[in-house]
């Protein structure tokens, strides 16, 4: 895949991901031209068209057009499936996704796309594992970390360098989600989160 | 507090702006605030600010001042900051920006980070915007990660390696040994990425391709596992188990099996199995079948399998889904040359697709239909194609027209059918045909001599209905001019006869001449046709004379020149008129590239006027070509300046060259003696001498000396020279431009001729000078040159 674009029926760009190095000026020009071509198509028409030397695969979901540019040897039908899978992921993540979700949370949409495709190719063909990875990454983002803390080897939680206990360190709270790092045995991950107001 | 609130607030505010100007103002304010915040070294809102900037960037506003902030955020230890920093890098930095090199070190550190998610961010960014230098620096790191135990990182590292191989193909050698072992992984993500990597390696390096051929059995095994396995909820899409992986494996098999019998045999069974067992009711299944068909067609498969593949494509053609029909036609296009008969079976469906609403489908159907035209189906196909031409979208017209012409030329069952078809195309889409259609059609018409009457009647009818299609108008005018007598006779077997008077015909031609829709070329055709009719009709010759003389003062130089010449033909050379305007001979079809090939009457008449030799039907092409060959500079322009001075139209033409020639003939005998200089021109007291200074095998240096023996000074004396095309001419600066009276001093000018192909030296020289306020011009032809003074 060379690039993927998401744009509305009014011609507003909602997302653009380029997998080849292109100058900023050329990108703008290509986006403008392509939007014109795709928006001019009638509803019942074929999802494939030829534009410049690329094959364009596009599909309209509600008010958003999902448009991918693939190369000569790529399979157009499977690209349609890729687009559909991406929409399913967005749907699962946002819960009945609509265009406004993508407008107001565009950076999250990018994060999902980056977890799903890399360098223009699918990373994982299982929907479940992609969603799980995004969930974990989001959780990681929620926690604020002090510089002196280390990442624990299990990569889901942090631990203090000296005591391996869950401790308040100045104004930063260290959250350990793995039971091995809990300071007290009757403390569960959930209660810690509740205490922090994150659950 | 969710970190995105401030961002969402800004988005809401921007969206509520009612005009573009208001939006721009808001964004400028925000950008200023963001820039100020960036300058502060550490604050808690860095992620929000960068996110806001990225939103502004997506709207299309400049955001380059955020690049350094991205670099800083990437280096931060906080995951949230790294995440947005890397996103910013992917959006704002590309390999052309210098700042992209600054993140190489951060990426390197993050690739060894203990958290998988941070590693994943680094890998993703490298795979998205990694430049060649970055890739080279980090290639060993990626190699290390390829051996990592965790499948989450492994699959990402493999895709990063794919990007590196695309950027720097030589580094493929680094990853080749590991790639083989990756096929034994169980994780679908890793398998998929591994297949992509192997595909990329094989496409770039034929040695690697040979090496990986031994993986064919393993790939076949994996595919079989996918097809035979039961329902797996994790990978199932519409009843197909992991179609993405299946498609990728099929594509790799295609590359491995190409031009290799052993590999192709090994996958035969598998392909047959996939082709028969895959359920194609949904897109996923169709995608797998499509890839299978492409693979079957590309490898050395057995014929049974090929037939199966073509049948699948045929089934696709009947599918309701337009997408499927489109891709089936695309694939059929690829195989129409090799499996022609198989595709012919589906001709009916393909022709029906010509009537589809969708422009893409129409285009595909057109290409395929043109490829399927053959001698047996030409009549039916042509009917369909002509119907298509009248309804097709404008961008396809030119292509359709040229396709029809090619097909008609190859398979025309009869000349009449051929002419009819071309006429039909011209009437429907005359504006979109190529330029050489007109001369080609004229050639065709002249060869079909028994159809002249039929053709001219048809063309006349078409002309009076519509004069907007220029190609049609041109052909019609030419034919009416040539075969006007047949038109007036009005009787013909194959077509309904028309009773026409001479005035009707002349009216039609005059309409073309006067219409604002006619292009200059069409009007030229019409004028010549009118002229030709002067010998074909009996009563209205005066009308023709008046038309021709009106155009003698036309603004268009072409028309004016022709009109003046035709006038001269009426006045001075009336005895020659019948001979000059006789029927054209049959045009030789084998001279397509000849500029003289698109003959109309005009070209030959030009040469006939400048050489007062009775032309008639023996107007051969040779003298004309000789004349042009020799005098392409002066020969053509010769007639123009003479024609534009209307009063001197007739006068200088016979005078100049012939007197010059007479002189040369007189002096011809002198050339045999070794005389250093020869007088090539002498008239009105001005003489021009030619002296050969030196002569080598391929070059001659000459000196012209001009002398004035009159009582008056001659001023503005200039020489112009023209030589045949194969000779190069270089004129040095003359010694002066004034010839004083009494021959006291002369003007000399040196000319160097280089003649690498050793053709006969010929030259035409034009003198022009001013004598007592009167401008004089004269031309001299020099056919033989004096030998040098020393040899």
């Amino acid at each position: 895949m060379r690039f993927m674009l998401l744009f509305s029926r009014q011609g507003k760009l909602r997302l653009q991901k380029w997998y080849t190095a292109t100058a900023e000026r050329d990108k703008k020009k290509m986006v403008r031209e392509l939007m014109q071509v795709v928006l001019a198509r009638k509803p019942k028409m074929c999802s494939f068209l030829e534009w410049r030397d690329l094959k364009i695969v596009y599909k309209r979901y509600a008010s958003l057009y999902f448009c991918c540019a693939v190369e000569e040897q790529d399979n157009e039908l499977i690209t349609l499936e890729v687009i559909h899978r991406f929409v399913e992921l967005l749907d699962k993540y946002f819960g009945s996704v609509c265009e406004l979700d993508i407008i107001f949370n565009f950076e999250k949409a990018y994060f999902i796309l980056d977890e799903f495709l890399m360098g223009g190719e699918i990373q994982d063909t299982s929907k479940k594992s992609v969603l799980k990875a995004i969930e974990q990454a989001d959780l990681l983002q929620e926690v604020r970390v002090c510089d002196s803390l280390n990442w624990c080897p299990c990569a889901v939680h942090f631990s203090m360098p000296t005591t391996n206990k869950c401790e308040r360190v100045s104004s930063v709270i260290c959250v350990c989600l793995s039971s091995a790092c809990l300071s007290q045995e009757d403390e569960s991950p959930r209660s810690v989160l509740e205490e922090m107001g994150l659950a | 507090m969710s970190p995105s609130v401030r961002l969402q607030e800004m988005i809401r505010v921007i969206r509520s702006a009612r005009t573009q100007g208001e939006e721009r103002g808001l964004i400028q304010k925000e950008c200023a605030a963001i820039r100020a915040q960036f300058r502060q070294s550490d604050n808690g809102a860095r992620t929000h600010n960068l996110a806001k900037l990225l939103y502004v960037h997506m709207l299309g506003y400049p955001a380059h001042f955020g690049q350094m902030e991205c670099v800083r955020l990437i280096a931060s230890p906080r995951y949230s900051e790294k995440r947005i920093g890397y996103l910013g890098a992917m959006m704002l930095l590309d390999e052309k920006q210098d700042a992209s090199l600054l993140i190489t070190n951060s990426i390197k550190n993050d690739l060894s980070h203990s958290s998988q998610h941070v590693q994943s961010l680094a890998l993703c960014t490298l795979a998205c915007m990694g430049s060649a230098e970055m890739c080279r620096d980090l290639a060993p790191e990626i190699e290390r990660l390829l051996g990592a135990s965790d499948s989450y990182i492994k699959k990402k590292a493999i895709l990063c390696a794919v990007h590196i191989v695309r950027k720097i193909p030589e580094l493929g050698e680094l990853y080749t040994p590991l790639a083989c072992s990756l096929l034994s992984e169980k994780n679908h993500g890793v398998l998929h990425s591994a297949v992509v990597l192997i595909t990329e390696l094989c496409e770039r390096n034929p040695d690697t391709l040979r090496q990986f051929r031994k993986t064919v059995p393993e790939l076949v095994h994996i595919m079989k596992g996918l097809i035979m396995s039961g329902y797996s909820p994790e990978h199932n899409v519409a009843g197909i188990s992991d179609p993405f992986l299946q498609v990728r494996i099929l594509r790799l098999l295609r590359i491995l099996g190409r031009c290799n019998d052993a590999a192709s045999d090994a996958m035969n069974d598998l392909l047959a199995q996939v082709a028969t067992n895959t359920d194609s009711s949904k897109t996923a299944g169709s995608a797998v079948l499509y890839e299978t068909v492409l693979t079957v067609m590309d490898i050395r498969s057995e014929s049974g399998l090929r037939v199966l593949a073509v049948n699948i494509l045929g089934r696709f053609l009947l599918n309701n889904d337009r997408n499927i029909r489109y891709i089936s036609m695309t694939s059929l296009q690829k195989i129409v040359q090799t499996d022609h008969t198989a595709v012919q079976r589906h001709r009916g469906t393909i022709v029906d697709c010509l009537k589809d609403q969708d422009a893409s489908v129409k285009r595909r159907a057109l290409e395929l239909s043109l490829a399927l035209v053959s001698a047996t189906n030409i009549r039916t196909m042509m009917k369909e194609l002509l119907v298509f031409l009248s309804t097709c979208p404008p961008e396809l017209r030119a292509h359709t027209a040229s396709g029809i012409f090619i097909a008609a030329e190859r398979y025309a069952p009869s000349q009449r059918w051929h002419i009819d078809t071309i006429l039909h195309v011209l009437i429907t889409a005359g504006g979109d045909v190529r330029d050489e259609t007109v001369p080609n059609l004229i050639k065709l018409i002249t060869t079909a001599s028994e159809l002249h009457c039929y053709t001219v009647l048809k063309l006349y009818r078409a002309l009076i209905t519509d004069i907007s299609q220029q190609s049609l108008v041109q052909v019609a005018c030419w034919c009416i001019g040539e075969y006007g007598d047949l038109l007036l006779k009005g009787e013909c077997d194959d077509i309904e006869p028309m009773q026409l008077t001479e005035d009707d015909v002349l009216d039609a031609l005059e309409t073309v001449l006067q219409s604002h829709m006619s292009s200059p070329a069409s009007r030229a055709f019409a004028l010549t046709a009118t002229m030709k009719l002067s010998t074909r009709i009996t009563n209205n010759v005066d009308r023709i004379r008046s038309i021709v003389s009106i155009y003698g003062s036309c603004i268009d130089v072409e028309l004016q020149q022709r009109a003046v010449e035709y006038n001269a033909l009426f006045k001075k050379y009336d005895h020659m008129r019948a001979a000059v305007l006789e029927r054209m001979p049959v045009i030789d079809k084998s001279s397509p590239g000849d500029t003289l090939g698109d003959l109309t009457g005009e070209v030959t008449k030009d040469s006939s006027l400048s050489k007062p030799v009775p032309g008639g039907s023996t107007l051969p092409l040779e003298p004309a070509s000789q004349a042009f060959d020799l005098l392409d500079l002066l020969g053509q322009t010769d007639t123009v300046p003479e024609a534009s001075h209307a009063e001197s139209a007739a006068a200088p033409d016979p005078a100049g060259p012939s007197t010059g020639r007479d002189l040369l003939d007189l002096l011809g005998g002198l050339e045999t003696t070794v005389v250093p200089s020869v007088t090539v021109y002498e008239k009105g007291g001005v003489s021009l001498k030619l002296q050969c200074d030196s002569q080598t095998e391929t070059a001659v240096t000459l000196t012209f000396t001009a002398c004035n023996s009159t009582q008056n000074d001659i001023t503005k004396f200039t020489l112009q020279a023209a030589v045949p095309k194969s000779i190069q001419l270089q004129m040095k600066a003359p010694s002066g431009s004034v010839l004083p009276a009494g021959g006291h001093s002369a003007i000399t000018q040196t000319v160097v001729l280089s003649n690498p192909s050793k053709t006969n030296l010929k030259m035409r020289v034009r003198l022009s000078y001013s004598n007592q306020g009167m401008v004089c011009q004269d031309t001299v032809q020099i056919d033989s040159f004096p030998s040098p003074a020393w040899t």
Side-chain angles (χ1 to χ4, degrees):
Chain A
M1 197 184 296
R2 292 270 184 94
F3 58 83
M4 182 191 267
L5 302 174
L6 259 78
F7 49 89
S8 71
R9 292 225 291 154
Q10 281 77 38
K12 292 266 172 70
L13 193 63
R14 299 296 176 210
L15 198 146
Q16 55 173 333
K17 190 79 188 183
W18 295 77
Y19 293 109
T20 49
T22 330
E24 193 67 41
R25 195 180 42 225
D26 293 332
K27 279 189 199 170
K28 286 209 177 116
K29 193 156 154 238
M30 287 167 93
V31 168
R32 210 178 24 238
E33 264 180 52
L34 197 51
M35 284 211 282
Q36 256 182 348
V37 172
V38 172
L39 289 171
R41 306 265 293 176
K42 296 198 207 59
K44 288 284 180 192
M45 288 172 110
C46 188
S47 282
F48 314 126
L49 55 103
E50 273 139 43
W51 179 78
R52 300 198 185 182
D53 59 337
L54 295 169
K55 297 200 276 198
I56 305 289
V57 180
Y58 75 93
K59 191 138 188 231
R60 189 177 139 207
Y61 287 86
S63 57
L64 267 183
Y65 281 89
F66 286 71
C67 187
C68 292
V70 294
E71 276 153 2
E72 190 60 43
Q73 60 269 47
D74 287 329
N75 185 328
E76 294 100 316
L77 291 174
I78 210 73
T79 314
L80 272 180
E81 284 298 312
V82 168
I83 295 178
H84 191 71
R85 175 58 68 88
F86 182 45
V87 174
E88 281 178 337
L89 286 169
L90 288 171
D91 197 47
K92 214 51 196 293
Y93 183 82
F94 287 108
S96 256
V97 66
C98 65
E99 192 185 341
L100 283 177
D101 288 323
I102 300 185
I103 296 173
F104 282 96
N105 299 293
F106 73 95
E107 84 275 14
K108 297 208 181 76
Y110 271 106
F111 295 149
I112 297 173
L113 184 60
D114 285 336
E115 194 61 45
F116 175 51
L117 296 174
M118 188 192 277
E121 309 287 344
I122 282 194
Q123 293 179 38
D124 204 321
T125 52
S126 151
K127 208 163 43 172
K128 213 171 62 174
S129 63
V130 178
L131 286 168
K132 196 170 98 176
I134 298 172
E135 231 176 80
Q136 284 184 344
D138 278 346
L139 215 51
L140 215 55
Q141 188 171 309
E142 290 295 319
V143 175
R144 285 173 286 159
V145 173
C146 172
D147 286 343
S148 63
L149 292 178
N150 287 339
W151 294 82
C152 185
C154 82
V156 182
H157 56 279
F158 315 89
S159 60
M160 284 294 287
T162 47
T163 59
N164 240 3
K165 284 200 305 183
C166 180
E167 282 189 23
R168 267 180 195 272
V169 179
S170 59
S171 62
V172 175
I173 301 170
C174 156
V175 176
C176 299
L177 301 172
S178 157
S179 52
C181 292
L182 288 173
S183 56
Q184 287 149 32
E185 266 150 13
D186 55 348
E187 208 164 305
S188 67
R190 184 147 191 95
S191 61
V192 176
L193 286 172
E194 273 169 17
E195 196 189 342
M196 281 176 53
L198 286 178
Chain B
M1 176 180 78
S2 163
S4 291
V5 158
R6 275 184 251 168
L7 164 68
Q8 291 177 347
E9 198 46 54
M10 182 193 87
I11 297 178
R12 200 170 292 129
V13 167
I14 291 177
R15 274 169 64 82
S16 63
R18 269 162 299 167
T19 66
Q20 182 78 323
E22 204 180 320
E23 181 185 284
R24 222 176 299 137
L26 282 167
I27 289 187
Q28 269 176 359
K29 223 169 39 164
E30 276 295 336
C31 282
I34 294 171
R35 246 188 299 231
Q37 298 234 309
F38 280 169
R39 270 184 241 122
Q40 291 177 8
S41 53
D42 191 32
N43 62 79
R46 275 162 53 170
T47 54
H48 311 320
N49 288 326
L50 188 59
K52 281 194 256 183
L53 185 61
L54 292 178
Y55 182 75
V56 163
H57 171 76
M58 194 157 64
L59 289 177
Y61 296 90
H64 43 268
F65 57 88
Q67 286 172 7
M68 287 314 295
E69 188 67 14
C70 293
V71 176
R72 256 178 261 132
L73 280 175
I74 288 172
S76 147
R78 291 200 182 103
Y79 179 72
S80 54
E81 291 183 351
K82 272 194 203 285
R83 212 181 188 193
I84 203 89
Y86 274 120
L87 179 64
M90 284 191 272
M91 285 176 75
L92 299 177
L93 296 173
D94 55 36
E95 50 184 51
K96 301 200 174 67
Q97 312 285 354
D98 298 325
S100 62
L101 290 172
L102 295 173
I103 63 173
T104 313
N105 211 28
S106 298
I107 296 183
K108 191 165 188 183
N109 291 336
D110 284 338
L111 283 175
S112 337
H113 204 282
S114 44
S115 163
Q116 276 188 339
H117 295 281
V118 173
Q119 283 179 312
S120 138
L121 285 177
L123 285 167
C124 188
T125 309
L126 184 59
C128 179
M129 46 77 71
S131 65
E133 294 94 44
M134 288 167 73
C135 289
R136 220 181 280 275
D137 283 337
L138 298 167
E141 285 293 312
I142 305 295
E143 192 193 351
R144 187 180 58 81
L145 286 172
L146 275 181
S149 50
D150 190 83
S151 58
Y152 179 74
I153 291 299
K154 204 184 268 190
K155 68 182 192 240
K156 291 182 193 260
I158 301 174
L159 286 178
C160 206
V162 170
H163 175 85
I164 293 178
V165 170
R166 281 183 187 152
K167 277 277 177 224
I168 311 170
E170 298 87 51
L171 286 176
E173 292 165 3
L174 193 59
Y175 302 115
T176 312
L178 291 159
C180 255
S181 55
L182 289 170
L183 282 179
S184 45
E185 294 275 336
K186 290 282 170 269
N187 182 301
H188 280 224
V190 177
L191 258 182
H192 184 275
S193 313
V195 173
V196 174
L197 178 62
I198 297 177
T199 312
E200 204 64 40
L201 290 170
C202 290
E203 272 175 349
R204 290 179 194 266
N205 191 332
D207 293 320
T208 326
L209 177 63
R210 245 169 283 145
Q211 211 181 330
F212 276 110
R213 277 221 180 92
K214 59 183 196 295
T215 61
V216 169
E218 206 174 339
L219 290 165
V220 168
H221 178 76
I222 298 173
M223 267 302 276
K224 280 216 168 97
L226 283 173
I227 314 167
M228 307 297 259
S229 72
Y231 178 79
S232 141
E234 201 173 334
H235 300 291
N236 184 72
V237 179
I240 312 288
S241 180
D242 208 341
F244 305 106
L245 183 58
Q246 287 195 28
V247 164
R248 259 357 271 240
I249 293 182
L250 285 166
R251 191 161 140 188
L252 179 57
L253 286 174
R254 177 155 86 239
I255 297 172
L256 294 175
R258 209 180 267 158
C259 309
N260 186 296
D261 290 322
S264 306
D265 284 334
M267 47 180 98
N268 248 323
D269 287 334
L270 169 73
L271 292 172
Q273 211 177 352
V274 176
T276 38
N277 288 354
T278 311
D279 169 28
S280 64
S281 51
K282 294 285 172 68
T283 315
S286 305
V288 174
L289 271 182
Y290 176 44
E291 199 72 32
T292 316
V293 166
L294 288 177
T295 306
V296 167
M297 286 305 158
D298 225 5
I299 64 173
R300 301 246 177 93
S301 49
E302 51 183 41
S303 57
L305 201 51
R306 289 183 92 90
V307 169
L308 184 58
V310 177
N311 286 346
I312 292 176
L313 289 178
R315 228 170 55 218
F316 277 177
L317 265 182
L318 300 164
N319 197 308
N320 281 332
D321 188 349
R322 214 172 245 129
N323 293 339
I324 311 265
R325 266 184 284 162
Y326 177 88
I327 55 141
S328 97
M329 280 197 280
T330 318
S331 327
L332 285 171
Q333 185 78 35
K334 292 191 193 134
I335 61 172
V336 74
Q337 302 300 333
T338 45
D339 295 80
H340 194 89
T341 36
V343 184
Q344 279 281 4
R345 248 177 269 136
H346 303 285
R347 187 166 51 85
T349 329
I350 294 170
V351 168
D352 280 334
C353 287
L354 279 172
K355 305 188 189 87
D356 198 298
Q357 301 287 345
D358 191 319
S360 321
V361 174
K362 270 196 177 119
R363 184 192 300 265
R364 288 271 151 255
L366 173 68
E367 300 268 4
L368 214 42
S369 307
L370 288 174
L372 286 176
V373 171
S374 74
T376 42
N377 58 29
I378 179 74
R379 282 188 195 266
T380 36
M381 287 298 280
M382 198 48 81
K383 255 190 243 136
E384 297 286 344
L385 286 170
L386 289 173
V387 167
F388 176 69
L389 184 62
S390 45
T391 53
C392 78
E395 60 267 10
L396 289 177
R397 270 218 194 118
H399 189 67
T400 318
S402 57
I404 290 178
F405 285 150
I406 296 172
E409 203 169 308
R410 241 186 255 162
Y411 303 113
S414 74
Q415 279 191 320
R416 192 180 132 178
W417 181 92
H418 195 173
I419 292 178
D420 277 341
T421 311
I422 301 189
L423 280 182
H424 193 130
V425 173
L426 285 180
I427 294 173
T428 335
D432 295 300
V433 299
R434 282 205 304 262
D435 295 331
E436 59 255 24
T437 315
V438 170
N440 284 342
L441 180 56
I442 291 177
K443 266 187 228 162
L444 181 64
I445 292 176
T446 49
T447 48
S449 44
E450 62 281 4
L451 291 170
H452 285 166
C453 187
Y454 168 77
T455 316
V456 73
L457 271 170
K458 248 196 137 171
L459 280 168
Y460 177 78
R461 281 217 181 91
L463 188 65
I464 51 177
T465 345
D466 173 22
I467 59 167
S468 60
Q469 306 276 32
Q470 295 307 304
S471 356
L472 183 64
V473 164
Q474 287 168 12
V475 178
C477 289
W478 191 90
C479 283
I480 292 175
E482 273 299 295
Y483 310 121
D485 45 338
L486 295 175
L487 182 62
L488 289 166
K489 256 195 270 166
E491 43 184 62
C492 179
D493 313 318
D494 307 316
I495 197 171
E496 202 181 290
M498 272 179 91
Q499 279 303 87
L500 291 169
T501 65
E502 293 172 0
D503 274 318
D504 290 331
V505 178
L506 287 173
D507 281 339
L509 289 174
E510 251 198 292
T511 323
V512 174
L513 270 173
Q514 292 166 349
S515 161
H516 63 278
M517 287 192 279
S518 307
S519 70
S522 310
R523 294 166 88 195
F525 270 88
L527 186 63
T528 311
T530 315
M531 189 60 192
K532 283 192 207 167
L533 282 178
S534 70
T535 50
R536 317 267 200 272
I537 63 176
T538 45
N539 299 342
N540 288 17
V541 185
D542 286 331
R543 186 173 167 187
I544 294 181
R545 282 187 80 143
S546 64
I547 294 175
V548 164
S549 57
I550 289 174
Y551 279 90
S553 46
C554 173
I555 291 180
D556 184 342
V557 174
E558 269 290 307
L559 275 183
Q560 193 191 86
Q561 175 192 340
R562 286 161 205 262
V564 165
E565 286 166 3
Y566 297 158
N567 243 341
L569 203 53
F570 268 122
K571 294 200 183 108
K572 289 199 81 174
Y573 300 99
D574 207 33
H575 54 281
M576 280 170 41
R577 188 161 51 89
V580 168
L581 299 173
E582 246 191 29
R583 268 269 209 280
M584 292 282 294
V586 173
I587 300 173
D588 184 13
K589 261 198 161 186
S590 63
S591 50
D594 207 338
T595 50
L596 297 176
D598 58 338
L599 274 178
T600 55
E602 299 79 48
V603 170
T604 48
K605 276 209 285 299
D606 273 348
S607 53
S608 76
L609 274 179
S610 57
K611 288 183 192 251
V613 168
S617 58
T618 59
L619 266 179
L621 297 177
E622 289 82 295
S625 52
Q626 249 186 23
F628 285 136
D629 196 36
L630 176 64
L631 309 160
D632 54 345
L633 255 188
L634 291 181
Q636 294 225 318
T637 57
D638 225 355
T639 49
V640 170
E642 286 157 10
S644 53
H645 308 303
E647 65 279 358
S648 57
D653 193 2
S658 45
T659 47
R661 246 176 256 132
D662 289 340
L663 273 175
L664 268 183
D665 288 339
L666 269 181
L667 296 170
L670 293 174
E671 282 159 14
T672 51
T673 63
V674 181
V675 173
S677 89
V678 171
T679 307
V680 295
Y681 172 83
E682 185 143 34
K683 184 182 156 210
V686 179
S687 68
L688 186 67
K689 291 196 184 57
L690 173 62
Q691 180 180 320
C692 181
D693 292 333
S694 67
Q695 183 167 16
T696 62
E697 281 272 291
T698 54
V700 178
T701 314
L702 308 161
T703 308
F704 284 102
T705 316
C707 232
N708 174 13
S709 56
T710 64
Q711 305 298 325
N712 317 303
D713 286 357
I714 288 192
T715 53
K716 297 194 199 141
F717 184 91
T718 50
L719 280 177
Q720 282 171 301
V723 289
K725 281 189 194 142
S726 49
I727 301 179
Q728 279 125 33
L729 170 75
Q730 192 189 8
M731 293 186 83
K732 311 270 184 195
S735 60
S737 68
V738 174
L739 279 173
H744 293 306
S745 60
I747 293 178
T748 54
Q749 186 163 13
T750 312
V751 171
V752 180
L753 295 174
S754 91
N755 183 8
S757 50
K758 299 200 196 118
T759 51
N760 273 335
L761 277 180
K762 285 186 212 276
M763 203 157 129
R764 218 186 219 207
V765 177
R766 176 171 25 195
L767 315 95
S768 80
Y769 58 89
S770 180
N771 186 2
Q772 286 178 310
M774 213 173 59
V775 173
C776 301
Q777 255 187 5
D778 235 330
T779 322
V780 175
Q781 172 147 348
I782 307 169
D783 289 313
S784 46
F785 291 80
S787 40
W790 62 92
T791 20

